[in-house]
Amino acid sequence: MSHLTYAEAIVVGLFQGVTELFPVSSLGHSVLIPALIGGQWAKDLNVSAPQSPYLAFIVGLHVATAAALLAFFWRDWLRIISGLLTSIRDRQVQTPDQRRAWMLILTTIPVGISGLALEHLFRTVLGKPIPAAIFLTLNGVILYAGERLRRRAPAGAGVPGAAGTAGPSGTVGPASHAGQTRTAARQAARTDLASDRRLAALSFTEATLVGSAQILALLPGISRSGVTMVAGLARGLSHEDAARFSFLLATPVILAAGVLKIPDLTGPLGAGIGGQVLAGSLCSGIGAYLSVRYLVRYFQTRTLTPFAIYCIAAGLASLAYLTLA
């Protein structure tokens, strides 16, 4: 059985935490990075091998990423869980939180069934460097096409208020730093609630279609957040709302994927790599938290185009290196 070093664990953990949320595919990078480095890394970190400690290691990374998302969006999840409980109690679906709760349940079903049925096949057959490079390139094309189609959409189309809300303007007065912090927190809360109402305005069919785009992320190189954002943009969401919805959609899926494979971590595949799993998971959780904190701000004013360019360039460069080397 191959070994897993602390250096490998830390590097892959950081990449996993960042690329799981950036629209550039964590699975694609998990396949490509070891192959591009080569040597012992390529042997130790082979995701397509059926009996590799790398599989058990990735379980810990998924759980850490999901924990980071829960920590960042904890207010949202409290509202969503409360909405679900009140919806069941009152047998109604009326408030934005109740609608979002059922949306997340409905959107998780298609990807959950597909993951259980196809994950092993896709990972063992397509979880190899050359297919991953091809799919990473295709991911870039999807992101770029989504932006092009978004620009051609008529102004005001889609979800009411999808353009987002304007932030405060003017110069900063002599208010204390503590006062400014409280004001910023209140403004952020109002922005989040406004986004919640816009997302709740989606129909259940539209939300399910957006969530079902996650099925494509079973292919190594296709980004979960990227394809769901493109699907959200196609339904008229703003970049900010599409990113927010994407992160909320990803949380239960990533967490479930990790929890279902915990037996791999506690079984023979995880023997002797407990420290490496802990180190990698810590790096993955920190990377994921900082990434989502950055991205929710980034998509307030920016687009998917830079990520599209990166994926196309990195995918083609990796493909050329792997086929010509």
Side-chain angles (χ1 to χ4, degrees):
M1 180 179 292
S2 59
H3 187 55
L4 182 69
T5 68
Y6 277 93
E8 292 168 342
I10 291 171
V11 170
V12 174
L14 283 172
F15 269 97
Q16 162 69 25
V18 172
T19 57
E20 183 68 56
L21 303 179
F22 275 71
V24 296
S25 177
S26 62
L27 181 55
H29 282 76
S30 296
V31 173
L32 285 172
I33 290 172
L36 294 173
I37 295 175
Q40 192 62 37
W41 282 61
K43 296 179 181 179
D44 293 345
L45 309 178
N46 184 359
V47 74
S48 64
Q51 297 296 325
S52 169
Y54 194 31
L55 299 179
F57 173 68
I58 289 178
V59 172
L61 302 189
H62 275 101
V63 173
T65 301
L69 284 170
L70 287 171
F72 187 84
F73 290 108
W74 67 271
R75 292 183 180 85
D76 293 80
W77 283 106
L78 285 179
R79 292 196 297 269
I80 290 168
I81 293 171
S82 175
L84 177 62
L85 294 177
T86 58
S87 176
I88 294 173
R89 181 195 64 195
D90 301 333
R91 297 182 181 181
Q92 65 180 19
V93 183
Q94 293 184 350
T95 70
D97 291 336
Q98 290 173 342
R99 287 184 58 83
R100 284 199 306 157
W102 287 108
M103 280 180 181
L104 290 171
I105 291 173
L106 290 174
T107 55
T108 301
I109 292 173
V111 68
I113 294 173
S114 301
L116 291 173
L118 301 173
E119 183 272 338
H120 178 75
L121 174 65
F122 281 8
R123 177 176 52 79
T124 55
V125 175
L126 299 175
K128 297 177 173 62
I130 290 179
I134 294 172
F135 285 123
L136 183 62
T137 305
L138 179 60
N139 185 69
V141 173
I142 293 172
L143 299 184
Y144 185 74
E147 285 295 343
R148 295 289 295 179
L149 292 174
R150 174 67 176 173
R151 292 196 195 102
R152 294 179 183 178
V159 178
T165 56
S169 60
T171 58
V172 177
S176 67
H177 177 71
Q180 291 174 348
T181 301
R182 286 192 295 270
T183 300
R186 287 194 292 269
Q187 176 63 32
R190 287 194 294 270
T191 300
D192 290 349
L193 290 173
S195 178
D196 292 346
R197 288 193 291 271
R198 292 193 296 270
L199 293 177
L202 288 170
S203 70
F204 285 108
T205 299
E206 289 175 320
T208 302
L209 289 174
V210 174
S212 296
Q214 296 180 94
I215 296 172
L216 292 175
L218 295 172
L219 300 170
I222 302 296
S223 165
R224 183 190 315 278
S225 61
V227 292
T228 50
M229 276 198 66
V230 168
L233 293 175
R235 302 314 305 167
L237 295 178
S238 67
H239 288 86
E240 181 180 3
D241 289 347
R244 183 180 179 81
F245 195 33
S246 171
F247 297 143
L248 291 173
L249 287 170
T251 305
V253 176
I254 297 172
L255 183 60
V259 170
L260 287 174
K261 288 187 173 292
I262 282 181
D264 290 341
L265 187 62
T266 58
L269 292 181
I273 61 168
Q276 293 91 321
V277 171
L278 181 60
S281 297
L282 182 62
C283 291
S284 180
I286 293 172
Y289 186 87
L290 294 178
S291 295
V292 70
R293 183 175 179 178
Y294 170 78
L295 288 171
V296 293
R297 297 177 181 176
Y298 174 92
F299 285 117
Q300 290 176 358
T301 56
R302 300 180 187 177
T303 71
L304 290 165
T305 301
F307 303 109
I309 295 171
Y310 165 78
C311 289
I312 293 172
L316 291 176
S318 298
L319 185 62
Y321 177 82
L322 292 168
T323 54
L324 299 177

